[in-house]
Amino acid sequence: MPSDEARISERVLQHIAEIGTGECSITDASIAAEGDPSAQEILAGLLMLHEDLQYSQERHSALLDELRGAIRARDEFLSVASHELRTPITTLGLQIDGLFRMLQQHVPQGQQDTLSRRLEVTRRQVDRLAALVGALIDVSRITSGRVQLSRQLADLVEVIRLVLERFGDEALRGGSALQFARRGPVWGNFDVSRVDQVFTNLLSNAIRYGRGKPIVVGACSAGEMARFWVEDQGIGIPPEHQGRIFQQYERAAPSTSYAGLGLGLWISRQLVEAMGGTISVHSEVNAGSVFTVEIPRNG
Amino acid sequence: MTGNILVVDDDADLRETLQALLDDSGYGVTAVANGKAALDKLRTGARPSLILLDLMMPEMNGWQFLERARADEVLDAIPVVIMTARRKGTDLLPAPSRDILHKPFDTKQLLHTIALYAATS
C-alpha cells in the first residue's frame, strides 16, 4: 500500500496528463505540485526527457539543414564542373578537326591511313568524353528541375534515320547489322534534340549489350502517340532487375564487364516523362531486349 | 566585305585554336583575352565584321562587355556570336545580330554560324 505522502493528488495527475496534450507546461505542473515530492520527482524526470527530446529535435533539424546544404553544394559543383569541362572538350575537338585538315593537305596519300585511323580513335574518345559530360549536365538539370523542352514540327522517322547514319560505323565495329522497320513519316511536335538523345541512348545500349547480333529499330504512329523502339538480341535483363534499370545509378549488367555511369536509362525516362510519354522494356535473359518509347505527337 | 573576326576568350588554348582555324578558313583574326581588352581593341583598331565572345572571363566578362556594347551605337551594330556551355542563353540575344554557339561545338558548326555574319576574304 502506498503511504499518504507517496500519493499524488488528482489535481496534479490531471496537470501531468495535460502535459501530454500540450494543455499544461511542465513548469506550471511543477508549481501546482509544490510540496508533493513524488509528483516533483516525476515532473523532474519528465523535464529531463523533454529537454532530451528538444535537443534531439534541434540536432535533427540542424543535420537536415546540413544535409540539404551538402546536396545543394554537390548539385552546384556538378553543374559548374560539367559546364567547365565543355571548354577543353571544345578545344580538343577543334584541334582534331584541324589536324584532319592538315593531314589531308600536307601528308602524301599513301601515308594518311595510319595517322587518320589514330585521329579517328582520338575523335571517338573526345566524343565519348563529350557524351559523358553531357550526361552529368543532364543529371544536374533534371535534379534541379531545369529541363526545358523546345518542340518543333518534325518527322520522327527522319530523326531516327539521322541517328542511324551517325551510328553506322559504331554498329559495324560491334558486329551488329542495323535494320529500320519504319511506317512513316511520323509527323509531330517533337523536341528533336531530346528525342535524338533518348533514341541514341537506347541504340548505344543495344550495340553495347547486343554485340555481334542484329539490331532492329522501328517507328510508327499509334493514334495520338508516336512510338519508336529498339530491339537487340543481346544478354537480356533478368525480370528482377527490369524495374530498377530506369533508376539513377542503377544498372543490370555488371559494371566490371560493361562501362558506363548507369545514368542513360534514368535520363531517358526523365526526358520521356517530361515530354508526357512513357518508356518500357520487354526482355528475356540471353534472348534480348526491346525498349519502347511512346510520346504524344502534339506534346 | 572582308571578314575580320575579333575573338574574345580568356582560355589561351581555345583562343589560339580558333585563331588558327579561322585564319586557315580565310578570315582575318584578332584575339584578345577579355571584354576590357576587346573594348580597347575596338576603340583603336578597325571595326570587325563579327565578334566571337566567351562569357566567363576575368576583368570584364561577356555580359558586361555586351552591356557596354549595347550602350554604344557603333559597337552595337557589330554582330556577336556568344560561345557558351550553358544550354539556354536567349536572354543575351536582344538583337537579331546576336547568335549562340553551344560548347562543345565542332568546326562545321563554327564555320556555318560565322558564315552567316562574315564573308571570307
Side-chain angles (χ1 to χ4, degrees):
Chain A
M1 278 290 283
S3 67
D4 279 353
E5 289 82 18
R7 282 190 44 205
I8 301 168
S9 73
E10 286 297 327
R11 196 170 57 83
V12 174
L13 276 176
Q14 181 67 31
H15 280 308
I16 291 174
E18 280 171 5
I19 291 172
T21 60
E23 288 165 83
C24 179
S25 71
I26 296 176
T27 320
D28 288 343
S30 297
I31 292 166
E34 202 85 55
D36 185 339
S38 302
Q40 293 279 15
E41 208 172 308
I42 290 172
L43 285 165
L46 271 179
L47 190 66
M48 224 153 71
L49 277 176
H50 178 71
E51 280 168 357
D52 278 356
L53 187 66
Q54 215 164 24
Y55 173 76
S56 293
Q57 277 168 345
E58 278 162 18
R59 184 87 194 105
H60 179 252
S61 101
L63 279 173
L64 212 58
D65 281 350
E66 217 171 285
L67 198 63
R68 287 201 186 103
I71 290 171
R72 207 167 31 245
R74 183 204 64 184
D75 288 347
E76 269 166 29
F77 172 76
L78 188 64
S79 172
V80 170
S82 49
H83 281 95
E84 204 59 30
L85 286 166
R86 287 196 151 173
T87 299
I89 290 173
T90 307
T91 310
L92 274 174
L94 293 175
Q95 282 289 350
I96 292 169
D97 290 343
L99 287 173
F100 261 114
R101 195 146 36 153
M102 283 171 79
L103 177 78
Q104 277 150 11
Q105 283 168 358
H106 304 299
V107 177
Q109 284 274 276
Q111 295 164 28
Q112 284 186 8
D113 274 10
T114 320
L115 275 172
S116 170
R117 260 202 308 279
R118 294 178 72 166
L119 272 179
E120 281 292 353
V121 172
T122 314
R123 173 155 24 216
R124 274 205 299 279
Q125 293 303 311
V126 171
D127 286 348
R128 203 172 136 197
L129 199 57
L132 288 167
V133 170
L136 293 180
I137 289 181
D138 280 335
V139 169
S140 108
R141 276 206 194 106
I142 290 167
T143 49
S144 62
R146 283 183 292 123
V147 178
Q148 282 171 315
L149 300 175
S150 79
R151 291 184 170 94
Q152 66 187 83
L153 186 65
D155 174 12
L156 179 64
V157 169
E158 185 57 19
V159 178
I160 288 178
R161 199 187 59 73
L162 287 173
V163 180
L164 291 175
E165 212 174 274
R166 217 165 56 223
F167 271 82
D169 286 349
E170 193 173 328
L172 211 65
R173 274 196 305 279
S176 291
L178 294 179
Q179 194 193 326
F180 188 12
R182 68 195 134 218
R183 262 169 281 154
V186 181
W187 288 98
N189 263 323
F190 304 120
D191 183 323
V192 171
S193 73
R194 293 309 195 180
V195 171
D196 177 312
Q197 187 181 350
V198 171
F199 181 72
T200 296
N201 173 243
L202 298 181
L203 185 61
S204 49
N205 278 351
I207 293 172
R208 188 186 305 161
Y209 299 116
R211 192 160 275 275
K213 309 264 180 59
I215 293 164
V216 182
V217 308
C220 68
S221 299
E224 295 293 297
M225 307 297 272
R227 181 186 299 151
F228 61 90
W229 63 93
V230 177
E231 180 176 3
D232 66 59
Q233 296 174 22
I235 57 174
I237 305 154
E240 66 270 24
H241 293 329
Q242 288 177 17
R244 64 176 183 89
I245 53 171
F246 294 106
Q247 286 165 24
Q248 202 171 7
Y249 310 120
E250 291 284 3
R251 344 179 42 217
S255 57
T256 45
S257 307
Y258 293 92
L261 297 176
L263 288 170
L265 285 175
W266 178 75
I267 291 172
S268 290
R269 192 181 88 178
Q270 300 295 321
L271 293 178
V272 167
E273 286 178 357
M275 291 186 254
T278 58
I279 183 167
S280 58
V281 63
H282 180 83
S283 182
E284 242 176 86
V285 175
N286 295 325
S289 307
V290 193
F291 283 86
T292 307
V293 173
E294 284 195 355
I295 45 173
R297 287 165 62 193
N298 287 308
Chain B
M1 185 182 76
T2 55
N4 278 303
I5 297 170
L6 176 62
V7 174
V8 191
D9 199 311
D10 64 319
D11 185 315
D13 281 345
L14 183 54
R15 214 161 55 226
E16 192 189 316
T17 305
L18 288 169
Q19 189 152 21
L21 198 154
L22 295 172
D23 193 55
D24 272 0
S25 308
Y27 293 102
V29 189
T30 310
V32 293
N34 59 58
K36 193 171 170 298
L39 282 179
D40 289 346
K41 187 61 82 180
L42 287 165
R43 283 198 190 107
T44 55
R47 222 187 84 182
S49 38
L50 175 74
I51 298 167
L52 206 50
L53 180 71
D54 183 28
L55 285 181
M56 306 238 271
M57 292 179 291
E59 283 200 64
M60 185 190 286
N61 64 34
W63 292 280
Q64 292 164 328
F65 172 81
L66 284 173
E67 212 168 290
R68 296 286 284 272
R70 225 171 276 164
D72 182 312
E73 215 172 294
V74 179
L75 295 189
D76 198 33
I78 305 172
V80 179
V81 172
I82 295 157
M83 301 178 287
T84 176
R86 292 155 178 250
R87 187 171 158 88
K88 299 289 167 190
T90 39
D91 54 316
L92 296 163
L93 302 169
S97 57
R98 302 256 157 95
D99 215 329
I100 283 192
L101 270 170
H102 291 289
K103 292 177 185 173
F105 51 82
D106 61 19
T107 306
K108 218 169 107 185
Q109 290 165 312
L110 173 74
L111 294 180
H112 173 80
T113 307
I114 285 177
L116 299 175
Y117 304 95
T120 52
S121 53

